[in-house]
Amino acid sequence: MHDALIKPLPGNNMAACLAESWRESEDGLTYEFQLREGLTFHNGDPFTAEDVQFSFLRYRGTSAKLLHERVKAVEVIDAHRVRFVLHAPWPDFLTFYATPATGAAWIVPKKYQERVGEDGFKRHPVGLGPYRFERFDPGVELVIEANEHYWWKTPSIKQTNHLQGSAGAPDPPGDAEDGGGGHRVPDDRGRSDCRQRGPEAAARVGHAAGSLVLGVPRAMGCQIPLA
Amino acid sequence: MVGMLITGLGLDATAQSTPKGQLTIAFDTSIASTYLDPAETTGIATPFVFL
């Protein structure tokens, strides 16, 4: 749902995303990011340097203390340029700021967040990523839909449902040829059948009629209806 | 040869402009609302599935 100034993309562990370029000063004290222009959040708000500044100051994740201690200021130069000023040279700044090690460079919309508040943002998050929030039923499912205006490329899948394994009932007896021990996840739309499985079981399932079975990390097997 | 290339690119662009279908993924973990907020990342990989 969200996107970052810099993040790993295929073939590049630190690829330009919302920042189309950046440069470090010779003394190692400042990092200036040139932002991609013409981007809008899922709610239509324009993406600007103020969102970058706001997202950094709001960040309270795993490395917040370290980042906030070492970054002296985040300066908005203009609508599409932002400068991070450090107290002292920190060669690992981008490793901490701009990778999934912290997630600090992931951007949220300042105006929307201030308008709806923390609870409102959690109920309906808005971002700049390839998928936009549709609905979240805690304990049951998260549904996201393709953002056809995503800057990098249009997503291939229109809707993605993340079903929580706890929503499923145990497999019926005698249905353990795929490795067993899985949980059937109900699909009230009848468009897919998806079970929680061990990775070995998911690999053995292979292709099923009309569906593509993916092996994904964290003991999951799922099917994409092709029709 | 050039014509084929242009046609191919055109088809690709058309395909990209129209997302289709539905992907359903079952997770063997509870999805926390904090996973949907970049400010709350805890240093584990799971939230980045949803972010």
Side-chain angles (χ1 to χ4, degrees):
Chain A
M1 282 185 286
H2 301 281
D3 208 352
L5 292 191
I6 303 168
K7 70 176 183 182
L9 287 179
N12 188 348
N13 285 334
M14 202 170 275
C17 289
L18 300 179
E20 59 184 12
S21 65
W22 65 92
R23 67 181 176 86
E24 177 186 353
S25 63
E26 288 188 6
D27 60 10
L29 287 174
T30 65
Y31 289 78
E32 191 172 310
F33 298 89
Q34 177 67 48
L35 308 184
R36 206 172 290 278
E37 297 188 26
L39 304 188
T40 57
F41 289 93
H42 300 154
N43 67 343
D45 286 354
F47 164 58
T48 72
E50 288 198 353
D51 299 306
V52 177
Q53 181 191 52
F54 174 78
S55 298
F56 179 80
L57 297 176
R58 178 175 177 266
Y59 172 70
R60 50 183 175 263
T62 186
S63 295
K65 185 172 184 292
L66 181 67
L67 281 163
H68 291 155
E69 281 179 354
R70 296 202 176 200
V71 174
K72 183 178 179 182
V74 181
E75 300 171 349
V76 174
I77 303 169
D78 60 35
H80 296 99
R81 279 191 303 162
V82 62
R83 179 188 298 130
F84 283 67
V85 182
L86 310 183
H87 286 289
W90 184 19
D92 288 334
F93 169 65
L94 287 182
T95 302
F96 276 82
Y97 175 62
T99 70
T102 67
W106 267 249
I107 305 302
V108 297
K110 178 185 178 185
K111 288 180 181 173
Y112 174 76
Q113 205 284 335
E114 287 181 338
R115 188 168 70 248
V116 301
E118 292 293 334
D119 289 342
F121 188 80
K122 279 189 171 52
R123 280 193 298 272
H124 194 115
V126 165
L128 285 155
Y131 282 85
R132 65 176 181 272
F133 178 89
E134 182 66 22
R135 66 179 180 275
F136 178 44
D137 189 357
V140 181
E141 68 173 351
L142 166 69
V143 181
I144 55 179
E145 290 215 352
N147 169 20
E148 298 184 9
H149 304 293
Y150 185 51
W151 68 269
W152 186 34
K153 60 181 182 180
T154 304
S156 300
I157 306 295
K158 183 172 177 59
Q159 187 182 77
T160 302
N161 293 10
H162 299 83
L163 296 177
Q164 292 186 205
S166 58
D171 269 346
D175 189 23
E177 69 279 3
D178 57 7
H183 294 267
R184 188 181 300 281
V185 176
D187 179 9
D188 57 5
R189 296 171 184 81
R191 285 180 291 190
S192 67
D193 174 71
C194 195
R195 297 178 192 182
Q196 196 178 345
R197 304 174 191 275
E200 298 82 8
R204 282 202 302 274
V205 171
H207 291 278
S211 297
L212 173 65
V213 180
L214 295 180
V216 291
R218 279 285 301 183
M220 293 178 290
C222 61
Q223 301 179 331
I224 307 171
L226 300 179
Chain B
M1 188 66 177
V2 173
M4 289 172 64
L5 177 62
I6 291 172
T7 301
L9 288 173
L11 287 172
D12 186 53
T14 302
Q16 279 207 355
S17 64
T18 53
K20 294 176 182 174
Q22 182 191 51
L23 170 65
T24 301
I25 302 173
F27 278 86
D28 57 354
T29 184
S30 295
I31 303 172
S33 60
T34 53
Y35 289 177
L36 313 181
D37 188 342
E40 305 275 4
T41 50
T42 56
I44 60 174
T46 307
F48 291 95
V49 173
F50 311 100
L51 283 181

